[in-house]
Amino acid sequence: MKKTAVILAAMMFGATALAYSGASDWAVPELNKAEGYGLIPEVLDRADVSEPINRAEFAAVSVRLYEALSGSEAQTGEDPFTDTDDEEVLKAYALGITGGVTADTFEPDTLLSREQAATMLARVYKVYTGKDISSSPQKLFADDEDISRWARDSVYFMAENGIILGMENNIFAPRNITPEQEASGYANTTREQAVIIAERMYERFRSEEPQATDTPQATDEPSATDSPQATEKPSGETDYLSLIPTITFGEITEEKSDGSSAQITVEGVTQEDYDAYVRTVEGRYPTHVNSLEGASQFVIKTDGTYNIRVSFVGSEMIVSVEDAR
């Protein structure tokens, strides 16, 4: 498709006009709207928007989307990463929009995959509305088995809401492309595509009211496995074991607790058990700290008072909770 150089003029919020090159003709109207909504970050000023977008750039787009939806300015928090101190990345991390690729690396220059884009946008929705995402796809993508477990709900939630759609032959192409796919006409997510899906999400959800309370909500019972139920926090002296959502599957082989933490080890855990339990943890502790992308077997959550960690390797799951104060 023919590429043209365009100037995206600010239409709202008194934003400064940013210059771009390489924008596709079809993308210009939505890019103009995105600029008007304040969704285009400074990192893309004078950038070739036909080029693939990296993780740091999309983090900045996600932060702008959150700010536009919420009407509040995002703040930076702790910096756990050794490979970036980018302010927009740290804002996205503090909000719970993105996590690391490992415990202390973000890989800011790594190209963003479509399933990562879906996951980060789903987190924007969850942070903004206080609601969990849900998806019940009537039709699966032809490459459904290639979609990572940690991204699946986000992918179908975005598809069902018309934000990130499938490609030709009902392919979603969740991961960054291989040379063979490139030769067949596939491409990685571009900057203009990333901005446009943020614009579509803004238009789709800007009228949705956030929940009035910040009280953590337990998730619905998943149908695939017995659902662990969240327990109430005790009054008086803290019983840390009771802060761990109830486990109703596998075999508990160890329980230990001290004055500031507790841990439970469970054997015989299936992937379905783990996925359901993580949903319960996310409902109980909705303020997200870090969920390692590309490794669905580890999640860290916090409610500001308690941190909870869930790891899953082989068939063993370890759940721990500690005082975060």
Side-chain angles (χ1 to χ4, degrees):
M1 178 174 291
K2 178 183 176 182
K3 302 286 185 179
T4 61
V6 299
I7 301 295
L8 301 182
M11 303 188 306
M12 296 171 62
F13 309 123
T16 304
L18 302 179
Y20 300 88
S21 64
S24 303
D25 290 341
W26 61 266
V28 171
E30 287 186 284
L31 287 172
N32 278 321
K33 286 198 293 182
E35 173 62 15
Y37 296 143
L39 299 177
I40 303 179
E42 292 182 7
V43 69
L44 296 183
D45 183 14
R46 305 187 184 279
D48 182 346
V49 293
S50 68
E51 291 295 316
I53 193 166
N54 63 36
R55 284 169 47 80
E57 291 169 341
F58 194 73
V61 173
S62 299
V63 168
R64 285 296 185 94
L65 174 60
Y66 167 78
E67 291 177 334
L69 286 169
S70 67
S72 60
E73 184 176 354
Q75 303 297 319
T76 59
E78 64 174 314
D79 181 1
F81 304 121
T82 59
D83 58 353
T84 183
D85 58 0
D86 185 285
E87 184 174 351
E88 299 304 306
V89 169
L90 297 182
K91 287 179 180 179
Y93 177 78
L95 285 167
I97 293 171
T98 188
V101 174
T102 69
D104 60 359
T105 62
F106 183 76
E107 295 188 6
D109 298 324
T110 297
L111 297 183
L112 185 86
S113 69
R114 283 166 55 82
E115 66 179 16
Q116 287 175 335
T119 301
M120 290 172 70
L121 291 181
R123 290 173 181 163
V124 171
Y125 172 84
K126 289 193 285 188
V127 173
Y128 163 59
T129 64
K131 304 173 184 177
D132 202 359
I133 62 169
S134 61
S135 61
S136 53
Q138 300 301 307
K139 181 181 180 182
L140 299 179
F141 288 112
D143 56 349
D144 175 76
E145 63 182 16
D146 295 331
I147 300 172
S148 299
R149 288 180 179 272
W150 53 265
R152 193 173 187 275
D153 284 346
S154 298
V155 166
Y156 283 107
F157 178 77
M158 289 296 145
E160 289 166 7
N161 283 282
I163 297 167
I164 303 180
L165 305 177
M167 300 179 178
E168 187 177 354
N169 299 321
N170 192 37
I171 296 295
F172 184 76
R175 299 185 180 89
N176 288 327
I177 63 171
T178 63
E180 293 76 14
Q181 289 173 319
E182 185 174 19
S184 300
Y186 289 102
N188 286 309
T189 305
T190 64
R191 291 162 172 162
E192 65 185 3
Q193 289 170 341
V195 170
I196 286 171
I197 60 178
E199 178 266 330
R200 291 174 181 170
M201 187 169 177
Y202 176 79
E203 292 196 334
R204 171 66 179 82
F205 295 116
R206 60 181 168 176
S207 61
E208 185 163 341
E209 290 293 329
Q211 288 184 338
T213 177
D214 293 327
T215 302
Q217 302 296 318
T219 55
D220 293 334
E221 293 188 10
S223 58
T225 184
D226 289 335
S227 174
Q229 301 298 312
T231 56
E232 294 298 321
K233 294 180 182 178
S235 59
E237 186 176 350
T238 302
D239 175 4
Y240 282 88
L241 279 173
S242 72
L243 296 178
I244 296 176
T246 304
I247 299 169
T248 60
F249 51 85
E251 178 185 359
I252 296 177
T253 58
E254 181 182 29
E255 289 186 5
K256 58 183 180 181
S257 179
D258 56 30
S260 61
S261 66
Q263 179 176 300
I264 296 177
T265 302
V266 191
E267 296 285 356
V269 180
T270 67
Q271 182 70 51
E272 289 74 19
D273 291 332
Y274 169 78
D275 291 342
Y277 193 76
V278 166
R279 288 195 292 271
T280 296
V281 171
E282 290 177 339
R284 175 69 181 277
Y285 299 87
T287 304
H288 172 265
V289 175
N290 190 23
S291 180
L292 302 186
E293 295 165 8
S296 64
Q297 297 175 330
F298 193 77
V299 63
I300 305 174
K301 307 289 288 187
T302 182
D303 66 353
T305 304
Y306 304 107
N307 291 337
I308 184 166
R309 294 173 170 82
V310 186
S311 64
F312 176 47
V313 179
S315 61
E316 180 185 80
M317 184 176 79
I318 298 176
V319 189
S320 63
V321 64
E322 63 182 13
D323 199 313
R325 292 168 292 186

